[in-house]
Structures are given as C-alpha cells and as structure tokens.
Amino acid sequence: ASVQNRTGVFSFARYEEKFYSSDRDIISDRNLIIWRSCKVMVHEIAHMFGLRHCIFFDCIMNGSNNLEENDRKPLFLCPVCVRKLQHAIGFQMLNRYQLLAETCSEIGGKFEEAAEWYQKVYKLLVEAYGPHYITDKKTHQTVKIKSYN
C-alpha cells in the first residue's frame, strides 16, 4: 500500500500454493485463506487511512515479512491504532466493535476467536462508558445497543 497515494494492491495467490491449479476444489482450507487475506487487507487499508506500522502492542499494524509472522498477528488494532483510525475516519466505537463481533461470528472458523475478542471489548466499553443506546449517523434514530451475555 502507498500511504501517500492511498492505494494498494492485494492478491490471494500467496496464501494457497494450489491457487493456480485448474482444479480449485482442491484448495485445502478456504477459511484459513480468507483469514490470512483479511489480515493483510485490514493492514494495508489502514495504511491507506494514514496508519503506519505499530510498535506499541500486538496489533494488526505490526509489520510482518512472511506468512508465519502474519499468522501470529491478531486481527485487531491495538488501542493506540484504533484511536488513530477513529481520528482519521471517524466512527462510533461501540458500533465498530458490535459489527466486527457479528461479522466475525457469521464467518466462523478462524474468525470465532476474533469474534469473542470483539464481544469482550464491546462489553467492556458498554460497562465503562454506556449508554446502552446510540444515535445512528445515517438515520439519526436512537438504536438500542446489542447485549452480549
């Protein structure tokens, strides 16, 4: 990704050695390929929003030079980077964590652990800051925040 030009290129090819095979049905673990791809795309898109490599915590914005390092990175931004992203593009923190938890849960597989993490963060934010209602930016209606018990 180019931070200055806010552009990036991505390919699935490096995540599955059988990608170029004529028989795509033999691809071993599609969920793992999507998991790895999402990690790289989130990282690169965050660069396009102005975030640089993180040196503070375990974070999706840590640099990685190979597949093994990429696999060790979490699928989430650290507190420092999430605030940088919020400053750059603006979003409601509770909405973000609620939607990420729901999306990861729907995808399942490798994403389940991330879904649980997003749900925990969401619960902590609701307990710490409330309120249990937010205003939808698009519709300007008050919406009840989902509860994860």
Side-chain angles (χ1 to χ4, degrees):
S2 168
V3 175
Q4 287 179 332
N5 297 326
R6 295 189 178 200
T7 59
V9 176
F10 175 81
S11 171
F12 288 98
R14 71 180 186 165
Y15 298 110
E16 174 60 60
E17 61 189 48
K18 300 170 188 166
F19 184 83
Y20 292 107
S21 169
S22 60
D23 185 8
R24 296 253 169 105
D25 291 336
I26 60 175
I27 293 176
S28 56
D29 188 344
R30 291 178 190 274
N31 188 265
L32 177 62
I33 294 167
I34 298 299
W35 169 254
R36 288 173 171 164
S37 300
C38 282
K39 287 171 117 176
V40 172
M41 286 188 274
V42 167
H43 178 96
E44 298 305 332
I45 290 168
H47 279 315
M48 290 187 268
F49 286 124
L51 276 71
R52 300 203 181 272
H53 285 156
C54 181
I55 57 169
F56 301 104
F57 298 99
D58 284 337
C59 177
I60 194 70
M61 290 310 296
N62 296 142
S64 62
N65 294 313
N66 56 51
L67 193 56
E68 196 172 287
E69 288 179 2
N70 185 57
D71 283 347
R72 282 195 302 263
K73 286 195 306 189
L75 185 63
F76 51 82
L77 294 167
C78 74
V80 174
C81 290
V82 80
R83 289 295 287 161
K84 288 179 184 178
L85 184 64
Q86 187 182 37
H87 178 76
I89 63 173
F91 54 82
Q92 291 183 344
M93 200 69 74
L94 287 171
N95 280 3
R96 178 182 188 274
Y97 284 105
Q98 178 181 343
L99 293 171
L100 285 168
E102 289 172 0
T103 301
C104 288
S105 187
E106 285 175 24
I107 296 169
K110 295 286 285 180
F111 290 84
E112 281 298 325
E113 186 177 327
E116 291 173 16
W117 188 87
Y118 287 126
Q119 289 171 2
K120 285 178 188 176
V121 173
Y122 175 84
K123 282 174 148 177
L124 288 171
L125 289 172
V126 168
E127 289 170 9
Y129 301 105
H132 297 282
Y133 294 86
I134 56 172
T135 302
D136 186 299
K137 283 186 174 184
K138 291 180 183 174
T139 65
H140 302 287
Q141 294 179 351
T142 301
V143 181
K144 185 173 181 177
I145 295 174
K146 191 172 210 167
S147 175
Y148 291 106
N149 294 324

